[in-house]
Structures are given as C-alpha cells and as structure tokens.
Amino acid sequence: QSVLTQPPSASGTPGQRVTISCSGGSSNIGRNSVNWYQQLPGTAPKLLIYNHNQRPSGVPDRFSGSKSGTSASLAISGLQSEDEADYYCAAWDDSLDALVFGGGTKLTVL
Amino acid sequence: EVHLVESGGGLVQPGGSLRLSCAASGFTFSNYSMNWVRQAPGKGLEWVSYISSSSGTTYYADSVKGRFTISRDNAKNSLDLQMNSLRAEDTAVYYCARDGTGIWLIYWGQGTLVTVSS
C-alpha cells in the first residue's frame, strides 16, 4: 500500500478536462513539494509538475498542479490521445526520510 | 543535453549480488543529488535510495535498508548501487534520476533490468 493515495484509473474524451487526486499526510504533502510524473507506455518517467504547480520547460500549459493541505491534484485540460499514460504523484516524507510515490493512475483517452 | 545511462543489470540468483552504475553527462554532476528508483514488472514506481551531492547524506527505502548501498564518484561522474542479498521482490527496472533544485526527479535514465530468479 502506497503512502500517497491515487485513484487507479481515470478517463476522458479528447478536449475534456480531467483531474487526478493525490492524498497524503502532514509529513509529506502537508510539508513538502508535490511533484507529478508522466510515464508513457514503455518509457522512463518524465517530470510533469514540480513544487506543487511549476512546469519544467517543454511541458504544455494544459498540465497544471495544485495543493491544498495534505492533498494535491493534477489537472489536464484539452485532453489529447497522447496524454494516455500512467501518472504518479510524489513527495518527500519527513517522518520516513524517504521519497514516497502514489500508486499511479492510468489515464485512458476514450 | 543531460544524459543518464544505467548499466549492470542482469539475471542473478536469490541471495546474490549485483552492482548497478549510472554514467552522467551534460551537467555538473558534483552539484546535484541523485536517486535510484525502481519499477517491478507491471507495478508502480518505488524510490530506492538518495545520495547528496557530496555523498554526505544518504537515505534508503526500508525495503532495501541494510542490503543496498548507494555511492558516487564525482571525479568520474558516476553513481552506483551495490545490491546484496537480492530477493525475488527486487526484480525491477532500476532508474537513476537527478534532482532538480529541490527533491524532484527532473532527469531520468532509460533504466536497467534486474531479474532475481533461480
């Protein structure tokens, strides 16, 4: 069982807006940067969002992140077929002295 | 351009040892902390270990503590993971990943597969 909780799956149609939630606790999301990773099939993960809501260079502004208390969300607007991937949230946990990941959410574009 | 290239994966018997390496290029290696992250077949991401830029601080996941050792050689721009007492549950693709200015993994290698089986 993962320290951070994500829904196992999400779906949407092209052009739609979808959100993926990530629930944690006071020792991880409540205190530290929340980051999101996208993993396309058969490839290495890619940093999508860091420090709750910052996008690395090259990440489209269709992707956005937010945090409230001990939960965080990733929103994808204008959904495209190439967004079909696994998405993971992560944060440093001060109690565990470990980087913790969510279990991952498989996004399907219908 | 940043490149991280892992090597050293392969098939090993339970109880055996393996040493993974990650060759870094395209950035000042000695300025950044590094991590190992693994992914078992069909499963999610699991962080394994962290090492600070100067090697002064290391952290490990409970699942590997006491069995794995992370190290780096800043003169050679390389990161290692010594894995001892390997178990079937250590079977995974192992990625090395570089931190950004905070603890987010901004660059990843392509991964190397470790299979622990008799």
Side-chain angles (χ1 to χ4, degrees), chain A residues 33 35 37 39 43-47 49-51 56 86 88 92 96-103, chain B residues 35 37 39 43-47 50 59-62 65 95 101 103-106 108-111:
Chain A
S33 165
N35 313 303
Y37 299 90
Q39 188 175 31
T43 69
K46 168 190 167 184
L47 180 65
I49 297 288
Y50 67 96
N51 207 15
D86 294 324
Y88 297 89
W92 185 261
L96 299 174
D97 278 337
L99 182 65
V100 292
F101 282 93
Chain B
N35 298 264
V37 176
Q39 186 170 35
K43 302 296 184 182
L45 301 174
E46 179 188 16
W47 171 82
Y50 161 99
Y59 296 112
Y60 297 92
D62 285 345
K65 206 170 288 183
Y95 297 99
T101 53
I103 304 177
W104 43 81
L105 308 178
I106 191 167
W108 296 67
Q110 84 290 347

Side-chain angles (χ1 to χ4, degrees), chain A:
Chain A
Q1 186 145 352
S2 303
V3 174
L4 304 183
T5 301
Q6 298 179 235
S9 63
S11 63
T13 56
Q16 255 190 337
R17 181 178 188 270
V18 297
T19 61
I20 298 172
S21 62
C22 176
S23 177
S26 59
S27 60
N28 41 69
I29 293 178
R31 295 185 191 179
N32 296 311
S33 165
V34 180
N35 313 303
W36 291 89
Y37 299 90
Q38 177 193 58
Q39 188 175 31
L40 298 170
T43 69
K46 168 190 167 184
L47 180 65
L48 202 61
I49 297 288
Y50 67 96
N51 207 15
H52 314 315
N53 56 16
Q54 303 299 301
R55 284 186 307 277
S57 173
V59 173
D61 59 6
R62 301 187 296 105
F63 295 91
S64 62
S66 64
K67 171 193 148 172
S68 177
T70 58
S71 294
S73 292
L74 172 71
I76 309 171
S77 59
L79 197 62
Q80 300 179 2
S81 58
E82 54 261 40
D83 299 332
E84 192 159 282
D86 294 324
Y87 292 84
Y88 297 89
C89 60
W92 185 261
D93 191 297
D94 288 341
S95 295
L96 299 174
D97 278 337
L99 182 65
V100 292
F101 282 93
T105 298
K106 183 175 185 62
L107 175 64
T108 301
V109 181
L110 302 169

Side-chain angles (χ1 to χ4, degrees), chain B residues 8-107:
Chain B
L11 175 64
V12 61
Q13 291 189 336
S17 298
L18 211 56
R19 189 176 187 90
L20 305 183
S21 293
C22 173
S25 62
F27 64 100
T28 305
F29 183 70
S30 59
N31 286 353
Y32 293 93
S33 51
M34 298 291 294
N35 298 264
W36 287 98
V37 176
R38 68 185 180 183
Q39 186 170 35
K43 302 296 184 182
L45 301 174
E46 179 188 16
W47 171 82
V48 173
S49 185
Y50 161 99
I51 187 167
S52 63
S53 57
S54 64
S55 303
T57 300
T58 58
Y59 296 112
Y60 297 92
D62 285 345
S63 58
V64 307
K65 206 170 288 183
R67 300 188 298 123
F68 290 11
T69 302
I70 191 171
S71 62
R72 64 190 295 162
D73 185 334
N74 286 344
K76 295 182 178 178
N77 292 345
S78 69
L79 173 73
D80 287 344
L81 184 69
Q82 177 65 43
M83 305 186 296
N84 298 331
S85 303
L86 283 162
R87 306 166 180 166
E89 53 265 36
D90 295 319
T91 294
V93 173
Y94 285 74
Y95 297 99
C96 71
R98 198 204 88 177
D99 275 352
T101 53
I103 304 177
W104 43 81
L105 308 178
I106 191 167
Y107 295 108

